[in-house]
Amino acid sequence: MTDPAASADPAELLALARDIALEAGALAALRRAEGVEVAAAKSSPVDIVTAADREVEQLIRTRIGAARPDDAILGEEGGTAAGRSGLTWVVDPIDGTVNFLYGIPHYAVSIAVVSSPDGGPADAQTWTALAGVVYSPGEGELFTAQRGGGAHLEVRPREGVDAPLAPGASGLMRELAVRPAAPLGQVLLATGFSYDAELRAHQASALTALMPHLRDLRRMGAAALDLVALAAGRVDAYVERQTNAWDFAAGVLIAREAGAAVVGHDGAEPDTRLVLGGHPDLVAQLAPLVADVGY
Ligand code: IPD
Ligand code: CA
């Protein structure tokens, strides 16, 4: 198979991902307004799924399937649907599910389109991300990037709160850039915790060792939104262990297109083991520190 990345049009993929994310975000916000309950626990009692997570993912799958029947889909709630094109849509219908449950409007739909070399299965170590969208409907913020096209924030009405835009209209667009590298002592670091109690305890003790070196930490509750906060210069850096591909696929592309370096374990590509991002000069300083504290 020829390299699928070479023949795909990132702008076209981004336009479709944006349309789908807007529709999915509106549905999530509507379900949130109607009231949300836990439907089931997954990897641990605190790792939950709501009916809205499933319904929103189903909507996204239906829309992708109708527009791009040859593409694969990897989604948090529905697993993998194989494809033939070499492109995979990596989908988190609601990132920040716990915020969603508690009525904190900091949750997002995250959709990335990635291309696998030789058309194999999507693997974060080897894929090329072509387009990414992270949409926070409760905050009216739509973050987008296409490969080589920079990263943008579209400021939109908050779903269910502000007056909607005219059909088809766009919000105000702003180009995103990471903050210049801060001295370590002035770094505001976003992070998150695993749902696994043992790993969470380990993360907390490693962060205790990091804290004296930093300005402060932020645990905002949605990995995709942490990565776009990095892209928007709202934090200096982001680090997290044990996230899933759907948590970081779109956010990593958006952060990179905004000028961030995003690395994984031992400087490799980010993956489920580690995602560390920031201004490239800062990541060069943070990576050994993060390794030293055993994070
Ligand atoms: C979680 C959030 C959280 C992060 C966890 C993720 P979910 O995703 O992104 O911020 O710390 O690692 O699993 O469960 O809300 O989709
Ligand atoms: Ca999720």
Side-chain angles (χ1 to χ4, degrees), residues 26-44:
L27 176 61
L30 177 64
R31 293 294 179 256
R32 177 53 253 171
E34 291 167 350
V36 174
E37 280 174 24
V38 174
K42 299 192 287 184
S43 62
S44 82

Side-chain angles (χ1 to χ4, degrees), residues 216-269:
D216 208 343
L217 286 183
R218 291 291 178 270
R219 197 300 186 237
M220 295 182 280
L225 289 172
D226 288 342
L227 280 158
V228 298
L230 170 65
R234 296 173 183 173
V235 293
D236 294 291
Y238 163 72
V239 68
E240 189 160 352
R241 254 179 87 167
Q242 212 70 49
T243 50
N244 291 296
W246 45 80
D247 296 317
F248 64 75
V252 167
L253 175 66
I254 294 167
R256 283 180 168 166
E257 287 293 332
V262 189
V263 299
H265 204 61
D266 286 336
E269 283 296 299

Side-chain angles (χ1 to χ4, degrees), residues 76 92 94-97 192-193 195 219 221-223 240 242-243 247:
E76 173 163 19
D92 192 342
I94 300 180
D95 185 45
T97 300
F193 292 95
Y195 291 119
R219 197 300 186 237
E240 189 160 352
Q242 212 70 49
T243 50
D247 296 317

